[in-house]
Amino acid sequence: MNININGMNVNYIVQGVENEREIILLHGWGANIKTFGPVYQYLSCHNKVYAIDMPGFGKSDEPSKDYHVIDYAKVILEFMNQLKIKNPVLVGHSFGGRVIMKLVGELGFTPKSIILVDSAGIKPKRKPSYYFRVYSYKFAKNTVKLLFKKEKAEKIISDMRKKKGSTDYRNASDTMKSVFINVVNEDLRYTLPNIKSPTLIIWGENDLETPLKDAKIMERLIPDSGLVILKGAGHYSYLDNLNEFLIIVDHFLKGCEE
C-alpha cells in the first residue's frame, strides 16, 4: 500500500485483527519492512500491525530535501494522523528507534508503549584518531579542489568518500548520504527523560553497531524503562534470537494491559 505524505509515496503494509492493539514497526537504516518480516507475521496474529518503508528505503520515495531525524518523526506522525492511529505501540530497530525518540521525546507524541531494539540515538565519544581522520579528509578535499578542475576534483573526492565512509554511507544514494550525515551526528539522549510511556529496551549482547553501553544509558534516562539483553546476539538481535525476542515482547505487551 502507498500513502502520500508531503508529496512522497510512502510504502507500508498492514495486517492483523481489527479493534485490537495497534503496533507500528520502524526499521533500521538501510533496511525495509521485509527485515521485520518474522516479527510482523507473529504479532499480526493477535494485533493490528503496520510496517513502514521510511522515506529513502524499500519502496518509499526518497525525500526531496535534506532530511533530519525530526523530518522522519513528522512523517510517522502524519502517517498516524491519516490512518487515524491513536494509541499504538511503537517498535523501532536501530534508526527506527532514533525516530521514536524524536517523535516522543521532542514532538510530544505519547504512545501506549515503546520497544527499542538495538536503538541508535546516542552519539559516541570520539577518539583522537577519529578526529585525525576527519580533519585529514577535509584537508585533502580542500587541496584537491585547489589543484584540479571541478569535474576531476569531484571524481577524486567521490573516490575518497567511497574509501573512507562507512558501509551505510557508501551504499546510500547522494541524497541519502546527506541524510545519513545529518542523522548520525545528532545525539538524542536529551529526549530520553521526556519519554513517559512504558519502554522496553532489547539489546544484543554482542552488538557492535550500537554498543550495549548505549542501552544502559537509555535505561537510566528513560523514566519507565527496563533492559533485556539477548545473549550471543548482535545488532539484529530480534532475528538472531527470534523466539526469545517474541516471548519477551509478548510478556511486555500483556504486562502493559494489566
Side-chain angles (χ1 to χ4, degrees):
M1 295 182 176
N2 282 295
I3 187 170
N4 189 281
I5 299 177
N6 301 328
M8 294 180 299
N9 286 318
V10 175
N11 180 56
Y12 74 97
I13 54 176
V14 57
Q15 182 174 301
V17 184
E18 293 290 341
N19 301 319
E20 291 294 336
R21 183 194 298 116
E22 294 183 298
I23 300 174
I24 299 176
L25 304 177
L26 301 180
H27 61 76
W29 185 274
N32 55 58
I33 55 180
K34 292 180 181 178
T35 55
F36 261 129
V39 177
Y40 175 85
Q41 292 297 330
Y42 177 82
L43 291 177
S44 62
C45 292
H46 302 288
N47 307 276
K48 188 172 184 180
V49 185
Y50 302 81
I52 305 168
D53 278 337
M54 288 190 281
F57 304 99
K59 296 180 180 179
S60 290
D61 292 344
E62 287 191 353
S64 58
K65 65 170 187 171
D66 199 8
Y67 257 39
H68 291 72
V69 182
I70 195 165
D71 297 303
Y72 280 97
K74 289 177 179 177
V75 165
I76 303 305
L77 190 61
E78 179 60 21
F79 176 86
M80 292 187 291
N81 287 339
Q82 288 195 32
L83 295 182
K84 296 180 170 53
I85 303 170
K86 299 296 184 183
N87 192 28
V89 177
L90 298 178
V91 182
H93 171 248
S94 195
F95 172 61
R98 191 190 289 270
V99 174
I100 291 172
M101 290 179 200
K102 200 76 168 180
L103 174 63
V104 179
E106 185 167 320
L107 294 184
F109 178 76
T110 304
K112 180 186 289 290
S113 57
I114 297 168
I115 301 175
L116 299 175
V117 188
D118 299 278
S119 178
I122 305 297
K123 188 175 179 180
K125 292 183 179 179
R126 305 296 191 183
K127 296 180 181 179
S129 58
Y130 168 83
Y131 292 103
F132 176 78
R133 290 196 304 274
V134 169
Y135 289 114
S136 295
Y137 167 74
K138 289 182 177 180
F139 175 78
K141 183 174 71 172
N142 291 332
T143 302
V144 166
K145 287 181 178 179
L146 291 172
L147 294 177
F148 298 94
K149 292 182 179 179
K150 183 178 179 181
E151 186 175 337
K152 177 68 172 177
E154 287 178 350
K155 184 180 185 308
I156 294 172
I157 292 169
S158 177
D159 290 341
M160 288 166 54
R161 285 173 177 157
K162 288 176 182 177
K163 292 178 182 178
K164 297 291 185 182
S166 68
T167 301
D168 283 337
Y169 180 84
R170 292 197 302 270
N171 291 339
S173 67
D174 289 342
T175 297
M176 296 307 292
K177 280 183 171 71
S178 296
V179 175
F180 179 77
I181 292 170
N182 295 337
V183 165
V184 299
N185 283 319
E186 187 170 3
D187 192 338
L188 296 180
R189 73 183 73 201
Y190 73 93
T191 67
L192 301 180
N194 299 328
I195 297 174
K196 307 304 181 185
S197 302
T199 301
L200 172 63
I201 304 167
I202 304 178
W203 224 268
E205 177 187 31
N206 300 326
D207 188 342
L208 299 179
E209 299 289 329
T210 50
L212 186 55
K213 64 181 181 180
D214 291 0
K216 294 177 180 178
I217 291 172
M218 293 177 190
E219 183 187 26
R220 186 176 74 248
L221 293 179
I222 299 173
D224 185 8
S225 66
L227 170 63
V228 177
I229 301 170
L230 299 183
K231 298 295 183 182
H235 187 55
Y236 282 81
S237 62
Y238 68 96
L239 294 177
D240 292 342
N241 291 22
L242 178 62
N243 289 339
E244 185 180 359
F245 174 84
L246 295 175
I247 291 169
I248 292 165
V249 167
D250 260 347
H251 183 76
F252 173 72
L253 294 177
K254 289 175 183 176
C256 290
E257 297 294 337
E258 294 175 355

